[in-house]
Amino acid sequence: MTTTIYSEVRNLFRRFAEYTTFHGVNRIISSKLLIGRLIWLCIVMTSFSMCIRQIYILSVQFSSYKINRKVSISNTDPYFPSISFCDLNPLSYRKIEAYKDDVQLANHLMKIIERNHNAVRGLKNGTVDIRNTSFHKDDLQSEAIEQEFRREMNYFDINITKDEIPKLSSDFKEFILSCRYEGELCNASFFVPFYDPYYGQCYRFPSQPLVAKHVGHLFAFQLFLNVNQSDYIPYVADDPGIILSIHENGYRPYLQSNGFAVSPGFKTDISLFQKRIERKKVVFGSKDLCDDSGQYTNIQTCFKLCVEKIVEKSCNCSPTMSNVDLGLWICDDVEELQCMANAEKGTENCSCKDPCSEIQYGTFRSMTTWPGKSYVGVLDAILKQRGVAYQDMRESLLFINIYFSSLQEEIIEEELAYTVENFWSDIGGSLGLWVGMSVISLGEILELGILILRFIKKRSVRLITTEVKRAAAEDKLNDGLNQIIKGFNDINDEKQEGRTEFNDGLNKIINSLNILTAEQQSRDNDQNGNQSNSMGRNVQPEQYNVFADHMI
């Protein structure tokens, strides 16, 4: 039986090889020489291997989700970006002295300033060892004092600090002398004051989103500022000016990392060009390829916040003092700096992604000396109306122009570099090149599978039927034997029914034997038929007849 099943299956594969469209398979069967079959077998196996390798490479390329960027230009009325800026001098020295007896933060900071005065005097005359001061060893710059002072600004509870910092900062009208937007004057209502743990009192323009409708200098956002160097805290701000950041509306400015300094004595022109990046979030069911939470303006911001959290947790200090709620001081000593450097290497634990929609502002900055000699008289007259003289402020004044150079928006859209259509086309090309396979070939494989299943089902039904017939024949055989025995007994008892019982039992035995013989003959016919198909000739099976010439 095992040989018969093997022969049937082999014949199915032989017939499949003869008609299939797979290249080379029929040559393995039809070749008359063994060496020819082996050669064609090697060729076919090599082709299949190369095809599988090529499909694997295509799958890797497809699963990498490589992106192409499509750039287009669109005319739009963009929102004017948020402009956040702070004086590099965190607090007013004059106000700290004035409020040192009334404001606890002023009293605390005044002690720090006096201690620094004594340290610097001691360094100058050589009476104080450098290691007993706030300066780092071999560093005579004021960075150590500056970092200590900015840290001490956050000495008290955050609520106390936020309440007292405005009292110790320059007044709005002293700091911002003039402001215009698209030719119209703007006042304090256009600005939002906010507290930065490092820079102190800061301002953001505009308070509400504004749509930019014009371009060029005439419609710029103009700022005329006075940083008042005479009011700078000693040894804290070593360079006068402001820190400024241009960012998308509604997001944190990150002045320490994204800001740039603007110096007094210059007119700074900043032209803007808006770019918008739209990234794909979902690719073939894979979600979260980008971040749509709106929490971060760019991926660098996400990494910076992640690194800050890692450093704060590992080193018990802050790299930027951005989160003063934790009560952590800035990392400044050797051990803390080494810990911060080691912690920053753990960015692989930061699950940061690019935002799905990101607005960037391309900038071009230019600076000219300001004011010019011909404009000094006009400026002096304007300042005198405010009760101040130009000569007292000439080293503290700066002018900023921020404007759009174009209202056209550059749109960068991401699209898949390797699409589903490309993937299936390349697979079809590989199958056709290496094995000559097409979609029709899949139908042939499906047909072969159906034939094999049909054969298995037919074989199973036949086995079940044979077993049923065999069981029925054996039952009749047993009944016949019993009737023969009963007939003999009746004959011995000289009963008339004995001969009839004997004949009926004998007929049942003969019928049972004929059924069993027919089943054996059917199996022999199947086996001989398979052998004749494989050998190309028809061999008649041997016939069985148990009772051919006599019947009782």
Side-chain angles (χ1 to χ4, degrees):
M1 183 180 296
T2 303
T3 303
T4 302
I5 296 174
Y6 170 76
S7 300
E8 279 286 346
V9 175
R10 185 178 64 179
N11 287 335
L12 287 175
F13 279 100
R14 180 185 293 275
R15 289 194 294 271
F16 173 78
E18 291 173 352
Y19 68 74
T20 185
T21 56
F22 282 95
H23 292 181
V25 177
N26 60 338
R27 303 294 297 177
I28 300 175
I29 303 300
S30 61
S31 295
K32 298 184 180 299
L33 299 178
L34 178 60
I35 185 66
R37 293 183 178 182
L38 292 177
I39 291 174
W40 276 106
L41 179 62
C42 292
I43 293 174
V44 171
M45 294 302 295
T46 301
S47 297
F48 266 95
S49 300
M50 293 300 296
C51 181
I52 292 173
R53 178 179 178 275
Q54 185 69 26
I55 292 175
Y56 171 75
I57 294 174
L58 294 174
S59 300
V60 172
Q61 181 180 353
F62 177 70
S63 60
S64 64
Y65 302 141
K66 292 184 178 179
I67 296 295
N68 284 338
R69 289 191 168 187
K70 180 178 68 175
V71 181
S72 60
I73 302 296
S74 173
N75 292 319
T76 183
D77 291 333
Y79 283 103
F80 195 81
S82 287
I83 311 297
S84 297
F85 56 96
C86 317
D87 194 335
L88 289 175
N89 179 52
L91 298 173
S92 168
Y93 182 50
R94 171 175 50 85
K95 288 193 174 183
I96 291 177
E97 285 187 315
Y99 289 108
K100 63 181 180 180
D101 297 328
D102 301 324
V103 178
Q104 56 180 339
L105 179 61
N107 180 271
H108 177 73
L109 294 178
M110 198 64 202
K111 294 177 181 178
I112 303 297
I113 294 172
E114 292 174 355
R115 188 178 67 187
N116 290 334
H117 273 306
N118 295 332
V120 172
R121 283 195 295 267
L123 287 172
K124 287 180 178 180
N125 57 33
T127 59
V128 176
D129 188 353
I130 191 172
R131 289 171 294 183
N132 296 328
T133 68
S134 299
F135 294 105
H136 290 294
K137 189 174 183 179
D138 302 328
D139 184 5
L140 297 180
Q141 298 181 5
S142 62
E143 292 183 1
I145 288 182
E146 177 184 0
Q147 297 299 331
E148 180 190 28
F149 185 87
R150 295 185 186 276
R151 182 179 62 217
E152 294 294 336
M153 283 169 49
N154 303 282
Y155 180 81
F156 296 101
D157 180 77
I158 182 61
N159 294 320
I160 297 177
T161 302
K162 287 184 176 181
D163 181 59
E164 296 185 350
I165 284 291
K167 299 177 183 178
L168 305 179
S169 302
S170 298
D171 295 334
F172 177 85
K173 292 184 178 180
E174 293 179 357
F175 180 45
I176 302 176
L177 300 179
S178 176
C179 164
R180 285 181 180 270
Y181 176 72
E182 292 193 346
E184 296 183 3
L185 289 172
C186 49
N187 51 39
S189 64
F190 284 73
F191 295 86
V192 177
F194 66 93
Y195 170 69
D196 183 89
Y198 192 81
Y199 291 106
Q201 184 76 358
C202 301
Y203 297 92
R204 183 178 71 249
F205 174 90
S207 56
Q208 297 293 332
L210 297 176
V211 176
K213 297 185 178 296
H214 305 282
V215 299
H217 292 78
L218 295 178
F219 302 97
F221 168 56
Q222 300 177 341
L223 270 178
F224 181 22
L225 303 179
N226 171 30
V227 296
N228 195 6
Q229 291 195 54
S230 62
D231 200 24
Y232 269 37
I233 299 172
Y235 320 116
V236 172
D238 56 359
D239 52 341
I242 67 168
I243 187 76
L244 185 144
S245 174
I246 301 173
H247 56 94
E248 189 177 353
N249 286 285
Y251 288 93
R252 177 179 166 185
Y254 298 99
L255 291 160
Q256 283 184 260
S257 55
N258 297 334
F260 56 91
V262 180
S263 300
F266 294 93
K267 177 182 178 181
T268 304
D269 287 335
I270 305 173
S271 63
L272 305 176
F273 182 76
Q274 181 169 300
K275 295 189 293 184
R276 178 161 53 91
I277 303 176
E278 298 293 339
R279 298 182 174 88
K280 295 186 72 67
K281 180 184 179 183
V282 181
V283 179
F284 313 128
S286 299
K287 298 184 179 180
D288 298 331
L289 298 181
C290 60
D291 177 30
D292 65 344
S293 65
Q295 187 176 1
Y296 310 108
T297 55
N298 52 58
I299 193 171
Q300 290 81 10
T301 300
C302 176
F303 275 114
K304 288 171 185 174
L305 286 179
C306 180
V307 169
E308 285 183 16
K309 292 179 180 178
I310 293 175
V311 172
E312 289 167 355
K313 183 177 180 180
S314 303
C315 308
N316 199 31
C317 62
S318 173
T320 60
M321 282 182 16
S322 61
N323 192 355
V324 295
D325 295 332
L326 299 177
L328 300 177
W329 286 11
I330 195 167
C331 303
D332 59 353
D333 64 29
V334 177
E335 292 184 0
E336 289 175 342
L337 292 175
Q338 183 62 42
C339 176
M340 183 174 70
N342 294 332
E344 288 177 347
K345 297 178 181 178
T347 55
E348 62 274 5
N349 298 323
C350 301
S351 56
C352 292
K353 301 181 180 69
D354 287 304
C356 295
S357 181
E358 178 181 356
I359 293 180
Q360 298 178 350
Y361 295 99
T363 62
F364 178 78
R365 284 175 276 172
S366 62
M367 300 175 64
T368 56
T369 302
W370 186 87
K373 292 182 179 180
S374 61
Y375 188 67
V376 170
V378 177
L379 184 59
D380 187 39
I382 294 174
L383 293 176
K384 283 183 178 179
Q385 294 178 357
R386 296 174 175 265
V388 293
Y390 168 72
Q391 294 299 325
D392 299 333
M393 304 175 60
R394 62 181 180 177
E395 294 182 350
S396 301
L397 301 178
L398 59 94
F399 196 89
I400 303 173
N401 276 329
I402 304 176
Y403 56 91
F404 275 107
S405 60
S406 172
L407 294 182
Q408 290 182 325
E409 181 183 42
E410 181 181 302
I411 303 174
I412 302 174
E413 296 178 285
E414 292 187 348
E415 58 183 17
L416 284 175
Y418 196 54
T419 63
V420 179
E421 293 78 10
N422 299 139
F423 179 56
W424 285 114
S425 297
D426 290 345
I427 287 181
S430 300
L431 292 173
L433 173 66
W434 294 107
V435 297
M437 182 180 175
S438 65
V439 177
I440 296 177
S441 304
L442 297 177
E444 296 172 354
I445 296 175
L446 179 62
E447 181 186 31
L448 175 63
I450 292 174
L451 291 174
I452 293 175
L453 292 175
R454 181 184 175 190
F455 167 75
I456 293 173
K457 181 179 179 181
K458 182 178 178 181
R459 176 63 62 177
S460 300
V461 172
R462 181 179 295 177
L463 289 175
I464 294 173
T465 304
T466 300
E467 292 298 327
V468 171
K469 290 182 177 180
R470 182 185 295 275
E474 289 177 351
D475 291 339
K476 289 184 178 181
L477 183 63
N478 291 330
D479 291 342
L481 291 174
N482 291 331
Q483 285 186 343
I484 289 175
I485 293 172
K486 183 178 180 182
F488 271 121
N489 293 331
D490 290 342
I491 291 172
N492 292 332
D493 295 338
E494 295 182 353
K495 292 182 179 179
Q496 184 65 29
E497 295 83 0
R499 183 176 294 276
T500 302
E501 290 286 343
F502 180 82
N503 289 333
D504 291 341
L506 187 59
N507 286 331
K508 287 182 179 181
I509 292 174
I510 293 173
N511 290 334
S512 300
L513 292 176
N514 285 332
I515 291 173
L516 296 174
T517 302
E519 290 297 326
Q520 181 63 39
Q521 182 177 338
S522 177
R523 287 195 297 271
D524 292 343
N525 286 338
D526 290 341
Q527 184 174 359
N528 291 333
N530 292 333
Q531 292 176 354
S532 64
N533 289 335
S534 62
M535 295 172 61
R537 58 191 178 86
N538 185 20
V539 179
Q540 295 295 328
E542 182 179 358
Q543 299 294 320
Y544 290 87
N545 195 345
V546 179
F547 298 101
D549 298 328
H550 57 277
M551 291 286 295
I552 299 180

